[in-house]
Every structure is written in structure tokens, then in C-alpha cells.
């Protein structure tokens, strides 16, 4: 197997592992957002829980900011893995 083909497979496997971890993190974040909004909606049905429902909406809204941050962290992580592997391959030549 040529060095270029092995290099492509190495970064491909790492990319898949990194991407799956961040996708799982993103899915967990989405699930929590849905839970906060659903519970908050039910809280609005009871006047005594309206303030708590409002706080759940605020938490869910704040968590929406996390969603693009997870994607950006994923892209940075893949880029660092690519650069690290690229530097390692440059040293082998």
C-alpha cells in the first residue's frame, strides 16, 4: 500500500471517529433542548409553574447556541488531526 493511500485511510478513519463523537454530542444536545421546551410548555398550562417554564425556555434557547459551537469544534478537531497526521507524514519522507 502506498504512503498516500495509507495516509488517506488514516485521516479517513480518524475523521469518522471524530465526526461520530461530535454527532452523538449534537444529538444529546438536541434531545435536551427538546426536553426543556416540552416541559416548559407543560409548565405554562399551570399558572403557578409559569415562571419555571420561562426558565426552561431560557435554558433551551441558550442551549441552541451550543449547537453551532459543537459543529465548529468538530471542524477544528478534524483540522488538527489532519495537520498532525500531515506533519507526521512530512517527517517520514
Amino acid at each position: 500500500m502506498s504512503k498516500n493511500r495509507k495516509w488517506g485511510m488514516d485521516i479517513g478513519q480518524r475523521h469518522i471517529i471524530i465526526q461520530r463523537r461530535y454527532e452523538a454530542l449534537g444529538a444529546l444536545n438536541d434531545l435536551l433542548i427538546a426536553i426543556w421546551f416540552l416541559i416548559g410548555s407543560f409548565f405554562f398550562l399551570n399558572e403557578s409553574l409559569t415562571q419555571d417554564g420561562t426558565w426552561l425556555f431560557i435554558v433551551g434557547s441558550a442551549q441552541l447556541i451550543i449547537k453551532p459551537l459543537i459543529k465548529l469544534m468538530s471542524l477544528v478537531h478534524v483540522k488538527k488531526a489532519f495537520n498532525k497526521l500531515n506533519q507526521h507524514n512530512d517527517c517520514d519522507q
Side-chain angles (χ1 to χ4, degrees):
M1 181 180 306
S2 72
K3 280 187 178 183
N4 285 341
R5 184 167 174 97
K6 183 180 183 314
W7 177 82
M9 288 177 59
D10 285 347
I11 191 63
Q13 290 170 348
R14 277 193 190 176
H15 180 264
I16 290 169
I17 291 168
I18 293 168
Q19 184 177 3
R20 287 183 145 209
R21 288 179 181 166
Y22 282 101
E23 283 179 5
L25 184 61
L28 177 63
N29 184 58
D30 289 346
L31 178 64
L32 289 173
I33 291 169
I35 289 169
W36 304 146
F37 279 104
L38 182 63
I39 293 171
S41 296
F42 281 115
F43 279 14
F44 266 83
L45 297 174
N46 186 335
E47 193 173 323
S48 66
L49 295 173
T50 301
Q51 185 174 2
D52 294 330
T54 301
W55 280 109
L56 288 173
F57 284 143
I58 291 169
V59 169
S61 297
Q63 228 173 321
L64 286 171
I65 295 170
I66 294 172
K67 192 172 185 153
L69 292 177
I70 291 171
K71 183 64 177 175
L72 289 172
M73 288 180 350
S74 170
L75 294 171
V76 169
H77 194 161
V78 169
K79 179 68 173 165
K80 284 182 180 181
F82 176 78
N83 288 341
K84 184 177 180 181
L85 189 62
N86 198 21
Q87 288 174 350
H88 178 69
N89 285 337
D90 287 344
C91 293
D92 289 344
Q93 293 177 355

